[in-house]
């Protein structure tokens, strides 16, 4: 991988959070800054999750190796944004009223789904280190298939939140479906020319390590 | 029980902070400087939003709570006719032509017809009413409206005994209202009130806010304000008022009947199917506050609903 790619992507991933902090402190988030903060961090989580799913098709299509090495970082940034997103809800929205939060999780499907997505993302973040990959071996790959489930839940979370205008969640849903289609055998056989030549699967780095 | 009481349990937190009232003063001064012209009864000027209304009396039905900053009242709006984003209406509503404007009165009344806005407004003296506004999404504002009681307007058209409900319609013109080019809702926007709700002294026809004519993004040139109901009941840019016998089906009822009912009274006990309604964030506040029954107007309006199951009639 070209040396500059990873640090550049790292900085780019930090830009939205830096902007949000700046905008929050300088009153640029509009009339309802907490709602804006929640929405922005939620959307960035979704974008980064979908971006992680772009890496494998990108590698296959272009034959580059570097997208796979960005995948972990993008996934961890998605986790970073969802942590801000969730904290905003727990703190600035509910002020740690655990009774109310519990009722929300049980009774509001969009919150149930969002919370589930977060809970499923935690083990992925925790097991993202090389040591964990080595330790879990094949199970690591199995576990990290959750990377397909979490964005689906994320899109659903967004869809169930909007009042009437589903255009934005629809865009994310279509992107997700497209990214999944690119992984579907009939599609990859037809369009994924690079696929035949190497047996390095979705697992990326791990496939070099497993027997 | 008296029908109207000017109650307000003012809490220390609700006293206008200095920064807020300074912002307000600055705006008022700017408005006065722009134009000293009083424009009572005729909002026909294309530049109506810069015209300052003078000689207004403040209605005793007003709240003393801190008013939401002008820039938020006019910059953070739900007006899907101009887009579904909160900032969209302020950005897109300039294409609305509010002059000439006419309102059609139809249905069960003695004097149906199409009236110019000037004719609609002429007999009425405007007053300032500072009301709380609670959006179904869980945020709220305090807005100094200018207008007159809907009851006074209704009486002029002499509704018949069959007129049990009033139905309102917003302008439907995708040319002027860019949001209507996409069927987010089934256009035109429709709302309705039961006759006794419409005749209630709190129910206002608004033509202005913060001492000036209504900005377009706030529903110019004439809109409804029903302060004890969720904001979407207060239909904007009205072109039609119809007296009917059957309960109208509002735009939101048509869109998602299991989520939006006809009454839509502010009620902290009855959750929206997807989110709680027990608290709200007053725009400009950091902490959320508890939502009050009927948005704090229970003393005035609770009697309209005695014996009704408010869970069923949401």
């Amino acid at each position: 991988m070209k040396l500059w790619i990873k640090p550049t992507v790292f900085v780019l991933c930090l830009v939205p959070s830096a902007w949000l902090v700046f905008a929050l402190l300088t009153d640029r988030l509009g009339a309802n800054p907490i709602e804006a903060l929640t929405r922005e961090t939620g959307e960035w989580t979704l974008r980064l999750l979908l971006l992680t799913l772009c890496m494998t098709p990108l590698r296959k299509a272009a034959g580059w190796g570097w997208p796979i090495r960005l995948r972990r970082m993008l996934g961890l940034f998605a986790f970073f944004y969802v942590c801000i997103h969730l904290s905003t809800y727990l703190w600035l929205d509910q002020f740690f009223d655990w009774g109310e939060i519990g009722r929300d999780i049980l009774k509001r499907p969009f919150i149930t789904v969002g919370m589930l997505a977060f809970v499923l993302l935690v083990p992925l973040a925790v097991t993202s280190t090389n040591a964990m990959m080595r330790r879990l071996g094949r199970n690591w790959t199995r576990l990290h298939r959750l990377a397909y489930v979490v964005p689906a839940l994320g899109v659903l979370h967004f869809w169930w939140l909007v009042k009437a205008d589903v255009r934005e969640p629809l865009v994310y849903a279509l992107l997700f479906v497209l990214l999944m289609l690119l992984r579907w055998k009939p599609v990859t056989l037809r369009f994924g020319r690079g696929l035949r030549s190497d047996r390095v699967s979705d697992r990326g780095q791990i496939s070099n390590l497993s027997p | 029980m008296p029908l109207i009481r000017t109650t307000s349990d003012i809490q220390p937190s609700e006293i206008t902070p200095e920064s807020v009232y300074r912002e307000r003063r600055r705006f008022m001064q700017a408005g006065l400087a722009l134009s000293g012209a009083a424009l009572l009864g005729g909002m026909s000027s294309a530049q109506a939003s810069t015209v300052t209304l003078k000689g207004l009396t403040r209605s005793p039905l007003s709240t003393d709570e801190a008013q939401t900053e002008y820039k938020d009242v006019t910059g953070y709006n739900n007006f899907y006719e101009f887009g579904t984003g909160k900032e969209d209406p302020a950005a897109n509503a300039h294409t609305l032509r509010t002059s000439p404007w006419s309102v059609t009165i139809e249905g069960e009344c003695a004097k149906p017809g199409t009236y110019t806005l000037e004719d609609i407004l002429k007999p009425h003296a405007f007053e300032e009413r500072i009301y709380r506004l609670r959006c179904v999404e869980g945020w709220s504002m305090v807005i100094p409206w200018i207008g007159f009681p809907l009851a006074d307007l209704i009486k002029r058209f002499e509704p018949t005994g069959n007129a049990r409900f009033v139905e309102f319609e917003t302008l439907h013109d995708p040319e002027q209202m860019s949001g209507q080019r996409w069927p987010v809702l089934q256009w035109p926007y429709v709302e309705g009130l039961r006759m006794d709700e419409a005749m209630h002294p709190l129910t206002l026809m608004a033509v202005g806010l913060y001492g000036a004519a209504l900005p377009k993004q706030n529903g110019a040139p004439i809109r409804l304000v029903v302060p004890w109901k969720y904001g979407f009941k207060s239909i904007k840019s009205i072109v039609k008022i119809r007296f009917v016998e059957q309960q109208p089906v509002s735009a939101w009822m048509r869109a998602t009947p299991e989520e939006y009912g006809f009454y839509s009274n502010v009620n902290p006990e009855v959750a929206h199917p997807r989110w709680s309604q027990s608290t709200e964030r007053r725009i400009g506040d950091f902490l959320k506050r508890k939502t009050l029954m009927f948005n704090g107007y229970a003393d005035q309006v609770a009697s309209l609903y005695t014996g009704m199951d408010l869970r069923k009639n949401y």
Side-chain angles (χ1 to χ4, degrees):
Chain A
M1 172 160 60
K2 291 197 179 64
L3 272 176
W4 55 269
I5 293 180
K6 204 164 175 179
T8 306
V9 174
F10 184 88
V11 171
L12 284 177
C13 287
L14 275 175
V15 168
S17 60
W19 157 252
L20 285 172
V21 171
F22 171 74
L24 196 64
L25 296 178
T26 55
D27 195 19
R28 277 160 215 257
L29 285 180
N32 199 346
I34 292 166
E35 193 245 339
L37 182 67
T38 313
R39 198 185 166 92
E40 287 295 316
T41 51
E43 286 208 42
W44 278 108
T45 305
L46 208 44
R47 285 171 198 149
L48 284 158
L49 286 170
L50 292 176
L51 215 52
T52 59
L53 293 187
C54 292
M55 294 301 111
T56 298
L58 192 61
R59 181 181 66 83
K60 285 179 179 167
W64 298 326
W66 57 264
I68 288 303
R69 280 180 242 167
L70 290 178
R71 202 171 50 172
R72 167 165 57 190
M73 189 172 77
L74 292 170
L76 285 171
F77 265 113
F79 188 66
F80 167 70
Y81 280 98
V82 84
C83 285
I84 309 177
H85 182 67
L86 181 62
S87 313
T88 309
Y89 165 74
L90 295 177
W91 178 30
L92 300 176
D93 215 54
Q94 296 290 3
F95 298 99
F96 304 113
D97 181 344
W98 298 109
E100 195 62 40
I101 292 164
R103 272 190 292 280
D104 257 3
I105 295 172
L106 292 176
K107 287 170 73 177
R108 323 275 168 230
F110 90 92
I111 293 183
T112 316
V113 162
M115 208 58 86
L116 180 65
F118 174 77
V119 168
L120 296 181
L121 206 52
V122 172
L124 300 195
V126 170
T127 61
S128 66
T129 61
N130 286 337
M132 274 305 213
M133 282 175 154
R134 236 172 280 127
R135 242 171 81 182
L136 293 174
R138 196 162 285 166
N139 287 330
W140 188 91
T141 315
R142 284 199 199 121
L143 179 66
H144 279 250
R145 291 216 180 99
L146 287 175
Y148 307 122
V149 179
V150 172
L153 294 173
V155 170
L156 198 58
H157 172 65
F158 192 10
W159 194 291
W160 281 347
L161 158 78
V162 298
K163 251 180 3 173
D165 189 359
V166 295
R167 278 173 289 179
E168 254 191 285
L170 183 67
V171 169
Y172 288 109
L174 290 175
L175 283 173
F176 175 73
V177 169
L178 176 74
L179 288 168
M180 292 313 280
L181 274 177
L182 290 176
R183 290 168 162 78
W184 192 39
K185 274 257 165 58
V187 176
T188 49
L189 288 180
R190 187 145 178 195
F191 301 104
R193 302 179 75 231
L195 189 69
R196 283 169 291 133
S197 54
D198 60 23
R199 285 270 306 136
V200 182
S201 75
D202 244 2
R203 285 172 279 172
Q205 287 158 303
I206 186 69
S207 55
N208 308 328
L209 300 163
S210 38
Chain B
M1 188 180 73
L3 185 61
I4 304 160
R5 271 209 325 227
T6 53
T7 62
S8 54
D9 318 333
I10 307 168
Q11 281 160 21
S13 63
E14 290 168 349
I15 293 168
T16 316
E18 197 193 9
S19 62
V20 172
Y21 83 66
R22 269 212 253 103
E23 175 73 27
R24 197 154 67 225
R25 269 178 83 98
R26 214 172 26 239
F27 164 73
M28 294 298 283
Q29 283 160 356
L32 287 165
L34 266 172
S35 165
L39 189 93
L40 289 168
M43 313 284 283
S44 53
S45 163
Q47 303 267 291
S49 60
T50 60
V51 173
T52 307
L53 302 166
K54 271 189 179 172
L56 297 163
T57 50
R58 177 170 293 186
S59 161
L61 296 167
S62 291
T63 170
D64 299 323
E65 288 165 88
Q67 293 165 35
T68 306
E69 279 189 40
Y70 179 80
K71 70 171 168 60
D72 294 337
V73 171
T74 58
Y76 189 79
N77 307 101
N78 273 330
F79 196 174
Y80 281 15
E81 279 79 350
F82 297 108
T84 55
K86 296 286 186 295
E87 277 93 30
D88 291 349
N92 302 332
H94 60 90
T95 51
L96 178 68
R97 288 189 301 274
T98 54
S99 172
W101 191 272
S102 56
V103 180
T104 303
I105 313 288
E106 287 181 356
E108 300 285 346
C109 67
K111 294 179 174 171
T114 296
Y115 298 84
T116 65
L117 184 66
E118 289 72 16
D119 287 340
I120 292 279
L121 300 181
K122 212 180 291 165
H124 302 283
F126 300 157
E127 53 184 293
E128 185 175 60
R129 297 262 186 111
I130 306 166
Y131 280 162
R132 291 177 287 274
L133 176 123
R134 167 65 157 77
C135 177
V136 74
E137 295 165 0
W139 52 268
S140 62
M141 293 184 177
V142 175
I143 303 175
W145 300 107
I146 292 160
F148 56 96
L150 174 63
D152 294 350
L153 183 71
I154 287 178
K155 283 176 205 150
R156 286 169 52 198
F157 304 109
E158 298 167 20
T160 69
N162 290 333
R164 294 182 53 233
F165 297 90
V166 192
E167 189 179 302
F168 303 86
E169 246 180 63
T170 296
L171 176 71
H172 182 206
D173 182 358
E175 287 286 303
Q176 298 183 56
M177 297 179 139
S178 52
Q180 289 177 335
R181 291 169 205 165
W182 187 268
V184 178
L185 293 168
Q186 202 180 311
W187 311 111
Y189 196 88
V190 173
E191 261 306 341
L193 294 172
R194 212 169 58 191
M195 200 47 138
D196 56 346
E197 296 175 324
M199 297 301 286
H200 193 281
L202 278 174
T203 307
L204 193 72
M205 286 306 271
V207 294
L209 57 80
Y210 262 118
L214 274 180
K216 290 174 178 176
Q217 63 269 32
N218 292 87
I222 186 165
R223 64 169 292 170
L224 183 68
V225 178
V226 195
W228 71 92
K229 292 175 180 284
Y230 292 118
F232 64 85
K233 291 293 287 184
S234 295
I235 186 171
K236 305 182 182 87
S237 305
I238 296 168
V239 293
K240 200 173 276 181
I241 300 175
R242 190 182 294 130
F243 298 99
V244 293
E245 201 173 349
Q246 300 297 321
Q247 181 174 292
V249 178
S250 72
W252 279 105
M253 289 164 76
R254 220 157 33 197
T256 25
E258 66 285 0
E259 296 190 347
Y260 303 99
F262 176 75
Y263 288 95
S264 299
N265 293 316
V266 176
N267 187 342
E269 307 293 321
V270 178
H272 184 279
R274 289 182 286 152
W275 55 83
S276 162
Q277 294 291 24
S278 62
T279 58
E280 68 198 51
R281 175 166 283 112
R282 179 70 50 87
I283 296 300
D285 282 3
F286 181 69
L287 292 168
K288 279 187 161 184
R289 64 178 66 208
K290 287 207 175 337
T291 290
L292 304 175
M293 188 66 200
F294 296 113
N295 201 22
Y297 297 97
D299 286 344
Q300 292 100 315
V301 302
S303 58
L304 295 173
Y305 309 102
T306 37
M308 275 176 69
D309 183 346
L310 296 177
R311 273 181 195 283
K312 274 190 193 134
N313 297 287
Y314 55 91

